[in-house]
Amino acid sequence: MRQENKFRKLLYRICLTLIISAVVSPALLVYADVTTAPPHPDAPQTLDELRISNPSEVAKLPRFDSRDYGIVTPVKDQGSSDLCWAYAAISASESAILREGIDPAATKDTLSLSAEGLGYLRHNRGADPLGNTRGEITENSANWYHTSGSSADGATVLSQWCGPLKNGTSIDMNTAYANTAYLMEGAILIADGKDRDAIKRAIVQYGAVTFSYNNKRECDYYNAYNETGTSSYPHACTIIGWDDTIPASKFQPGGAKQDGGWIIKNSYHSLPYFYLSYDCGSSNLVAFDYAPREEYDYNYFYDSRALDFGLNVKGSDHVANVFEAKKGTDGYAEYINAVNIGIKGKNAACEIAVYTDLQNQQDVSDIFNIIPTKGTLAATQTASFEHAGYYTVTLDTPVRIEKGSYFSIAVKVSNPTGGAAIRLTQDNKPTYFYREDWEYWSKSNYTARVKAFTTVEKDDPVTAPEGYTYPYRITGHQIDVEHHTLTITAECYDDKPTILICSTYDESGVPAGTESRVIDKKAGQRFTETFSYSGNRCKILSWDSYMSLLPLSESYSIP
């Protein structure tokens, strides 16, 4: 291995010497479909090596180019449109898909997503497949081709799984959801355009990052920071790598304050690739993360508007969205597999709680006036994120939801500076804020960007364990300390009705109270039931009737 590394470094020096000494124009070095220099000897040498590399270590290298790994698609020309932001987002998305390898059939020459499709869908979206939103038709719906935007707005649209579309697919608001080629799981929004290390790490991890700067001219080594006058215009592009060794004097106009620059993939064939000096900053840096189309079946969300509500709203650090489960059927069960969260602020810690069967503990006829956490606490999860953006958190155990039942996703975020919050829109949906100072949930006038990703799977009937002779079995429990409730999970192996009794005892074993439920389930069904819980010991048993007290299950004790 040591001899191999020495050979790599020697080959690298020889190639660089030949390139520098050759009589070639700078344009040839920049325009080539693949780089003329091999990867740095300490860089991953193949795509497989890149996928298992440590982005923090690779970011320390003086040179990196995603084209070396076959994950940069050919440049698309935006023509006379004002859709550079969409071309940048789509270019970064293509590199992310290839970098991750979620589609084995896709290559840099075959993967082609539609930037115009994203530009259209930014302003023209119909109702989502679950009917939780009506979509969005903006004032620029007819003039979308000549409407500027940002890659961050594109990320919001893609988080709804309205796109990306493959080139050649009809661009139609009524079929866009069905024709979405890949499912966006994440969009990392880097706030500091001068944070070179963060940008480099994102390029290594996701393949590319969108970038916006004020453009005035086309040249191979450009420093837009030195431009004067008012004729420059905002332009979005894609960063696919960097080179720290470019002399500052090489940049135009007027050189640069420092050596080095970004390798830029453009959206014009007249200048497909160029170097942009590190002097230039940006406020629109986005990297993407995708899953295959078959990873999930449904996306529960309410935040249909592409634009965030920009002001900070008290309480937006602890929110909950309430949904009705819509897709389980006889023989098939729906499961929440993951939660997606739109976050503002750096270094956010996130706490997620999933509550099911809200209708069993309260009247949900008006879901704009309920307690979103008054149900069965079915799952909790924690995560942390360095940057703002959209993140998907996979649940350790998928949560089953019954069609017609109500569930909620509660999310709390925090960071050391106190600036972490959930992204909001001005849609009026069943979003609730928890007011820490008042210690209760209140309906919000804004909608939280909190989503639930679900799958529908064949539901094999449950069967009794070998040797188990009772028609019912209590299989587990969850305790909700906040609401003083105990929820048990159980299985039915016979059509026989039963009475479920929960008896509580004090520490000395003296009975403290009893609650009962009449249960009438079909054989093969799973179910849950919730009881009051005071922290005492409990014993739960299924009985034939109040009169005979013939046990229909084994006794289940807590603790």
Side-chain angles (χ1 to χ4, degrees):
M1 181 62 73
R2 185 174 300 172
Q3 291 296 324
E4 182 182 347
N5 287 338
K6 289 177 66 177
F7 176 75
R8 284 180 180 175
K9 293 180 180 179
L10 178 61
L11 178 63
Y12 184 75
R13 292 192 188 99
I14 292 172
C15 290
L16 282 181
T17 302
L18 291 173
I19 291 167
I20 293 170
S21 61
V23 182
V24 293
S25 69
L28 183 60
L29 296 179
V30 178
Y31 282 68
D33 288 335
V34 294
T35 54
T36 53
H40 189 279
D42 294 328
Q45 300 297 300
T46 66
L47 179 55
D48 287 338
E49 288 185 17
L50 176 65
R51 286 172 177 161
I52 62 174
S53 67
N54 182 340
S56 295
E57 291 301 314
V58 179
K60 297 175 183 177
L61 298 175
R63 185 178 185 280
F64 178 87
D65 191 336
S66 287
R67 290 175 295 182
D68 291 335
Y69 307 97
I71 59 174
V72 178
T73 55
V75 170
K76 300 180 180 72
D77 196 304
Q78 71 179 74
S80 62
S81 76
D82 291 307
L83 299 177
C84 58
W85 62 271
Y87 279 80
I90 288 298
S91 174
S93 294
E94 290 170 340
S95 288
I97 291 163
L98 294 172
R99 161 69 173 79
E100 188 66 19
I102 62 172
D103 183 353
T107 70
K108 70 179 181 63
D109 298 312
T110 62
L111 179 61
S112 182
L113 303 178
S114 175
E116 290 191 6
L118 180 57
Y120 169 82
L121 293 171
R122 164 63 181 85
H123 300 282
N124 299 272
R125 298 187 304 287
D128 73 274
L130 293 172
N132 288 325
T133 70
R134 294 183 297 177
E136 183 180 32
I137 306 296
T138 76
E139 60 184 7
N140 296 308
S141 60
N143 194 39
W144 61 269
Y145 191 77
H146 293 293
T147 300
S148 59
S150 77
S151 298
D153 295 344
T156 301
V157 173
L158 295 170
S159 76
Q160 301 170 12
W161 299 349
C162 192
L165 307 176
K166 289 187 175 180
N167 266 321
T169 302
S170 174
I171 301 175
D172 185 336
M173 63 184 289
N174 297 310
T175 59
Y177 289 102
N179 289 333
T180 290
Y182 304 94
L183 306 181
M184 195 197 91
E185 282 193 311
I188 293 78
L189 309 181
I190 302 173
D192 184 358
K194 293 288 188 178
D195 189 346
R196 198 182 307 170
D197 178 67
I199 298 170
K200 287 180 175 181
R201 284 187 284 113
I203 294 169
V204 176
Q205 185 168 353
Y206 302 103
V209 175
T210 67
F211 189 92
S212 294
Y213 68 101
N214 285 323
N215 185 58
K216 192 173 183 179
R217 71 182 74 195
E218 288 189 348
C219 61
D220 299 330
Y221 297 84
Y222 187 37
N223 186 2
Y225 181 82
N226 287 343
E227 294 286 14
T228 59
T230 58
S231 59
S232 62
Y233 58 91
H235 180 54
C237 53
T238 313
I239 310 177
I240 58 170
W242 66 85
D243 190 336
D244 295 341
T245 67
I246 302 171
S249 60
K250 205 167 184 67
F251 291 100
Q252 301 174 12
K257 297 177 181 179
Q258 56 194 316
D259 292 343
W262 302 113
I263 303 174
I264 301 296
K265 178 186 176 185
N266 204 0
S267 53
Y268 290 111
H269 287 158
S270 56
L271 187 68
Y273 297 95
F274 64 97
Y275 295 101
L276 186 68
S277 169
Y278 288 145
D279 287 358
C280 303
S282 173
S283 59
N284 191 22
L285 294 136
V286 186
F288 293 89
D289 189 22
Y290 284 86
R293 185 67 181 85
E294 62 273 13
E295 185 78 9
Y296 309 101
D297 294 317
Y298 295 100
N299 183 351
Y300 284 78
F301 69 92
Y302 289 130
D303 53 307
S304 61
R305 295 175 190 255
L307 291 177
D308 284 349
F309 180 71
L311 301 179
N312 291 327
V313 179
K314 187 175 179 60
S316 59
D317 59 339
H318 195 175
V319 306
N321 277 355
V322 177
F323 300 97
E324 179 186 358
K326 297 185 175 182
K327 288 299 175 179
T329 60
D330 289 341
Y332 290 86
E334 186 172 18
Y335 291 88
I336 304 171
N337 293 80
V339 172
N340 184 270
I341 313 152
I343 293 178
K344 297 166 65 176
K346 287 196 64 175
N347 300 315
C350 179
E351 303 172 39
I352 300 168
V354 179
Y355 293 85
T356 59
D357 296 319
L358 273 61
Q359 75 284 349
N360 289 348
Q361 298 190 40
Q362 59 189 312
D363 181 2
V364 296
S365 57
D366 178 10
I367 61 171
F368 288 83
N369 187 28
I370 64 172
I371 300 173
T373 55
K374 193 175 182 181
T376 299
L377 178 59
T380 59
Q381 205 83 29
T382 59
S384 58
F385 310 106
E386 180 182 1
H387 299 286
Y390 295 87
Y391 293 93
T392 294
V393 180
T394 301
L395 301 180
D396 289 338
T397 302
V399 172
R400 182 189 176 106
I401 49 177
E402 302 295 335
K403 184 177 181 179
S405 69
Y406 288 82
F407 67 93
S408 70
I409 309 294
V411 180
K412 182 179 181 180
V413 294
S414 60
N415 66 3
T417 64
I422 303 297
R423 308 180 87 88
L424 305 174
T425 74
Q426 287 187 283
D427 303 281
N428 185 19
K429 296 291 184 176
T431 287
Y432 292 81
F433 287 179
Y434 186 77
R435 297 294 300 270
E436 304 284 351
D437 48 350
W438 295 344
E439 297 185 347
Y440 73 83
W441 290 93
S442 63
K443 169 69 181 67
S444 170
N445 293 324
Y446 306 96
T447 294
R449 294 200 189 276
V450 172
K451 302 174 175 68
F453 296 166
T454 71
T455 58
V456 176
E457 303 170 17
K458 185 172 176 57
D459 191 21
D460 295 326
V462 297
T463 56
E466 184 177 353
Y468 191 87
T469 58
Y470 293 102
Y472 287 85
R473 185 166 73 99
I474 300 160
T475 58
H477 71 279
Q478 285 271 2
I479 295 172
D480 185 347
V481 176
E482 179 183 358
H483 296 105
H484 307 290
T485 59
L486 164 70
T487 299
I488 60 100
T489 56
E491 297 175 348
C492 175
Y493 309 125
D494 194 310
D495 292 345
K496 188 179 183 64
T498 186
I499 296 173
L500 199 63
I501 297 178
C502 177
S503 300
T504 58
Y505 304 83
D506 63 21
E507 294 300 324
S508 61
V510 176
T514 299
E515 268 191 273
S516 63
R517 300 279 190 278
V518 177
I519 306 297
D520 188 5
K521 300 293 181 183
K522 299 295 184 182
Q525 283 187 322
R526 300 179 181 88
F527 63 95
T528 63
E529 285 296 326
T530 300
F531 300 92
S532 299
Y533 180 68
S534 61
N536 294 328
R537 293 187 296 166
C538 294
K539 185 172 289 186
I540 305 165
L541 193 62
S542 178
W543 297 94
D544 179 39
S545 70
Y546 287 114
M547 298 300 296
S548 67
L549 294 182
L550 176 68
L552 297 183
S553 73
E554 289 182 344
S555 177
Y556 186 90
S557 298
I558 306 170

